Amino acid sequence: MNVRLLAVAVLAAVIGGAAAIVMLPGTREKLSGSLPTTGQALVGGPFTLVDHTGKTVTDKDYRGRYMLVYFGFTYCPDVCPSGLQVIAAALDQAGTKAAEKIVPILITVDYERDTPEQLAQYVPMFHPQFVGLTGSQEQIAAALKAYRVYAKKVADPKSAAEYTYDHSSIAYLMDPQGRYLTHFTPSSEKAVDRIAERLKQLP
Ligand code: NI
């Protein structure tokens, strides 16, 4: 009996060891792609940018509050203004208690035109809490990469602005430690209600 138990234990150890080998870092990375949102999400990360007051900031400056991060640009004719309006309306609808825990952030994809001064004129039109962030081409490229945001400069000869950006329109909600919680699509139906409901539930 004892021998049999020992055999089972040895077998278990062997299987356990084999499983550990299978779970080597490279393999784990491949597996995580097909798993639900358990563990460390792949969205977000450190950034160093310049805010709309001209101050250099990093993601760590917003620790302790939830970041609601949207990528866009001030010359955007329609998608960004409506997205930012939805975020602002959701903050208002969630109420002061919830809104106080949140920093709504616009990170520009257009480092050439969106200076801190330009952002300072733009973001308060949507909500007094809004923070506008810009930076060098490299700084913005790094932030885009961290958040896996698509943005592409496209010539627009018909417009006086000469160029525009194709970009994804997603708002990322990051927790007070800067980790990804969830994301919203501001252009989707009833987005204000859905975002506000989620923000109200934040501990
Ligand atoms: Ni836009």
Side-chain angles (χ1 to χ4, degrees):
M1 220 39 181
N2 277 342
V3 173
R4 224 160 140 185
L5 276 175
L6 183 68
V8 169
V10 167
L11 189 64
V14 169
I15 292 169
I21 290 161
V22 169
M23 291 303 282
L24 282 169
T27 317
R28 196 176 297 151
E29 206 161 54
K30 273 174 212 144
L31 285 173
S32 69
S34 58
L35 291 171
T37 54
T38 51
Q40 194 65 37
L42 298 170
V43 172
F47 60 72
T48 302
L49 294 162
V50 180
D51 77 7
H52 64 279
T53 72
K55 192 180 137 206
T56 296
V57 294
T58 75
D59 53 300
K60 291 196 175 72
D61 288 303
Y62 306 108
R63 291 290 190 275
R65 284 180 291 169
Y66 296 86
M67 296 190 294
L68 189 53
V69 189
Y70 185 85
F71 287 80
F73 64 115
T74 68
Y75 280 69
C76 183
D78 41 34
V79 177
C80 292
S82 60
L84 296 171
Q85 269 168 23
V86 164
I87 292 169
L91 280 170
D92 286 339
Q93 192 170 309
T96 317
K97 220 178 130 195
E100 275 172 355
K101 301 175 198 165
I102 299 154
V103 194
I105 298 174
L106 167 66
I107 300 182
T108 185
V109 301
D110 184 1
Y111 68 96
E112 290 164 281
R113 292 181 296 203
D114 284 343
T115 59
E117 297 76 23
Q118 172 74 10
L119 289 169
Q121 303 217 330
Y122 188 74
V123 287
M125 294 197 293
F126 296 95
H127 198 280
Q129 277 179 244
F130 249 115
V131 170
L133 298 181
T134 185
S136 66
Q137 185 174 13
E138 294 73 27
Q139 286 173 327
I140 289 171
L144 288 169
K145 197 177 169 202
Y147 280 83
R148 308 202 157 207
V149 170
Y150 164 81
K152 189 173 185 287
K153 191 176 174 178
V154 215
D156 190 8
K158 281 172 281 177
S159 128
E162 291 175 356
Y163 65 91
T164 184
Y165 274 90
D166 283 344
H167 66 95
S168 45
S169 177
I170 297 168
Y172 296 96
L173 183 63
M174 313 301 286
D175 78 6
Q177 285 78 46
R179 295 171 305 203
Y180 170 86
L181 262 185
T182 188
H183 67 269
F184 307 106
T185 312
S187 57
S188 61
E189 213 171 315
K190 300 209 165 141
V192 174
D193 293 342
R194 284 189 301 103
I195 300 171
E197 275 316 303
R198 186 67 185 85
L199 298 184
K200 268 193 234 172
Q201 291 164 19
L202 294 177

